[in-house]
Each structure stands twice: as structure tokens, then as C-alpha cells.
Amino acid sequence: MLVKALAERRGPASEAALLYEETAESRARRAVLAAEMKSLPQPRFKGRPTKKTRRDYEKWLRSSDDED
């Protein structure tokens, strides 16, 4: 990808597309990444986690820190 300019402010994607030029290599890399993402297993949870799920996750995170 070739960056042509930088934006002065955050704006819509249509304006951002004018600021760069996509190369064949970057398109190919993006296609490979999309295929890899598609092959990954889908998350079990949909939407916002429950309070219990969040607490379990935080407990798991803290326990993995203790093992290091």
C-alpha cells in the first residue's frame, strides 16, 4: 500500500480511500488474511458477556498472570 497523504481530521472511508493507493501485493496479503480469519473458529459468545462470564474471564486472566 502506498500512502499518498495524511488526513487533517478523522473522516469517512470514502475520503480515506483517496489518501492511499492499494498495490497488487497488499490486495493479495489482504485476501490471504481474510481467508485465514474465515478459517478460524467462531467465538462461542454472541453479544455482550454476562457479569458472570466477565468475572470468570477476569479470574482466568489473573490466574494466568500468577503462573508466569
Side-chain angles (χ1 to χ4, degrees):
M1 182 176 303
L2 178 67
V3 177
K4 294 179 180 179
L6 297 176
E8 293 293 322
R9 62 175 179 81
R10 186 179 173 122
S14 58
E15 287 180 18
L18 301 173
L19 301 175
Y20 67 89
E21 182 180 324
E22 192 168 25
T23 63
E25 180 184 320
S26 67
R27 268 190 229 93
R29 217 174 333 144
R30 191 164 41 89
V32 168
L33 180 61
E36 288 175 0
M37 296 285 287
K38 204 174 253 191
S39 70
L40 291 175
Q42 297 298 314
R44 294 184 318 174
F45 305 107
K46 299 221 188 273
R48 187 174 179 176
T50 63
K51 189 180 281 189
K52 181 186 182 320
T53 306
R54 182 181 51 80
R55 287 180 178 155
D56 289 345
Y57 176 70
E58 288 174 351
K59 182 179 176 183
W60 175 79
L61 278 178
R62 282 191 303 271
S63 69
S64 65
D65 286 344
D66 295 339
E67 293 173 3
D68 291 340

